[in-house]
Amino acid sequence: MTGASRDALGFVRVTEVGPRDGLQNETRIVSTAAKVAFIDLLSAAHFPEIEVSSFVSPKWVPQLGDASDVFARIQRRPGTIYSALVPNERGMDSALAARVDKVAIFAAASEGFSAANTGGTIQEVLARFVRVVASAHAARLPVRAYVSCVVRCPYDGPVAPTAVRHVVEQLLALGADEIDLGETLGVAEPADIERLYAEVARVLRPERTTLHLHNTNGRALDNARAALALGVRSFDSSAGGIGGCPYAPGARGNVDTAALLAMLASAGYETGVDGGAVERAISSITQVLRADAS
Ligand code: HMG
Ligand code: MG
């Protein structure tokens, strides 16, 4: 699911998560029209995948309560996968009605974040996903599975790589098609990424993972370089570096898409993403966020 067949050409898959991970952390509600305009501009950049929104409880994330409307109004570009987060069966029903192309489930490697973000233990949350994955596959939709807090948890502190591997193993057993490792706090150093992959690689080749790097400490690009050296060929990023998680206090946004694309290009990797179109999308959403803040 991560473009492995194109590795020989030096292809790296970049998934734009700004509309979901970026906007979920904005306390002022962004209009549906502005979200749709942002996503349409991102579509013009030819991302292989855009994470559009979340079918989570609007009580937990009010910003993304318009996910169905956003999906109904975006212009879908052939060749781009339009995905969404789904926390439970109710969210799955909404996601199917919205005709998502791919479902993203999300678990955590730490109990503190699991409780704060999804209101359940790690095992309870994994159990919720059994039916979600079955419904997705019955509808022939692939499933991305996030594991949050792969290095550190805002509530429990450092997270052991073995704890991450245990959750990865269970998500694979559930039938997840793609594993996305979330460095939720953005505090990792390259050595943390190396320790993480030394353990995860016991059950899944790095080439088959996606890495989701928040950038609180400004080391996300260094961490991406370390992951590339280990064989990782799929990364998430956020236009303008916007975002964070409302349930991970202090965490800043994902690695900025333009910075990631520039780093990958200078290292000789192809992404197929049009940097000029990305700049137009960044300009559109930053204007909206600045206007809202003033
Ligand atoms: P809960 O409160 O334990 O569950 O939430 P509940 O079943 O009691 O539901 C509470 C209310 O929400 C009820 O409404 C439900 O009907 C409603 P009420 O009866 O009170 O009127 N509800 C829903 N409404 C719409 N769609 C739904 C849905 N489900 C319940 N799907 C739940 C459990 C999982 C729903 C909640 O904890 C939740 O929505 N959590 C999501 C939090 C979230 O989105 N966090 C950010 C995304 S994860 C992230 O950012 C990390 C990531 O980027 C990777 C990384 O960086 O590490 C992916
Ligand atoms: Mg995130």
Side-chain angles (χ1 to χ4, degrees):
M1 306 306 301
T2 55
S5 60
R6 296 163 85 172
D7 279 359
L9 303 175
F11 185 81
V12 170
R13 187 170 194 282
V14 176
T15 297
E16 170 59 47
V17 298
R20 191 282 302 171
D21 195 306
L23 294 182
Q24 73 180 8
N25 209 36
E26 295 294 326
T27 42
R28 287 169 203 238
I29 299 292
V30 174
S31 72
T32 304
K35 289 171 184 163
V36 170
F38 177 40
I39 295 162
D40 286 348
L41 287 166
L42 291 168
S43 290
H46 293 195
F47 283 97
E49 181 169 343
I50 300 174
E51 205 167 74
V52 170
S53 192
S54 296
F55 292 96
V56 298
S57 167
K59 291 192 172 154
W60 285 64
V61 183
Q63 179 68 257
L64 302 183
D66 59 353
S68 299
D69 285 346
V70 171
F71 266 94
R73 289 167 59 177
I74 54 173
Q75 304 269 343
R76 300 191 198 208
R77 189 193 79 86
T80 296
I81 291 169
Y82 296 90
S83 60
L85 255 57
V86 170
N88 54 19
E89 285 183 82
R90 170 146 180 212
M92 189 63 208
D93 291 342
S94 305
L96 288 173
R99 297 187 304 108
V100 303
D101 297 323
K102 183 172 177 180
V103 168
I105 58 177
F106 50 108
S110 65
E111 291 296 352
F113 189 73
S114 186
N117 194 48
T118 42
T121 65
I122 295 170
Q123 291 308 317
E124 284 165 351
V125 169
L126 289 171
R128 285 178 201 157
F129 291 139
V130 173
R131 290 212 180 136
V132 171
V133 173
S135 301
H137 286 167
R140 298 182 181 278
L141 298 178
V143 175
R144 154 182 279 209
Y146 280 101
V147 183
S148 283
C149 300
V150 295
V151 169
R152 191 175 178 88
C153 168
Y155 308 98
D156 300 350
V159 173
T162 47
V164 180
R165 174 172 57 83
H166 287 314
V167 177
V168 168
E169 283 175 310
Q170 292 180 80
L171 288 166
L172 290 171
L174 274 178
D177 301 289
E178 175 186 346
I179 297 291
D180 191 328
L181 300 173
E183 207 282 271
T184 317
L185 287 188
V187 296
E189 303 280 328
D192 296 313
I193 300 300
E194 285 160 10
R195 273 192 293 275
L196 169 69
Y197 273 97
E199 190 62 34
V200 170
R202 294 176 60 188
V203 293
L204 187 65
R205 286 191 301 123
E207 293 82 347
R208 293 202 49 227
T209 67
T210 294
L211 190 56
H212 176 102
L213 293 164
H214 284 265
N215 197 21
T216 314
N217 285 2
R219 298 302 304 274
L221 286 180
D222 295 330
N223 293 336
R225 282 190 201 93
L228 282 165
L230 296 168
V232 177
R233 293 293 180 269
S234 176
F235 294 91
D236 295 341
S237 64
S238 173
I242 58 171
C245 175
Y247 299 100
R252 311 261 312 255
N254 266 88
V255 60
D256 172 53
T257 302
L260 180 68
L261 293 175
M263 184 277 276
L264 291 170
S266 72
Y269 292 100
E270 287 173 43
T271 61
V273 178
D274 175 344
V278 171
E279 291 299 343
R280 289 189 280 283
I282 292 174
S283 160
S284 148
I285 198 63
T286 47
Q287 272 178 34
V288 168
L289 297 179
R290 272 199 216 116
D292 282 354
S294 59

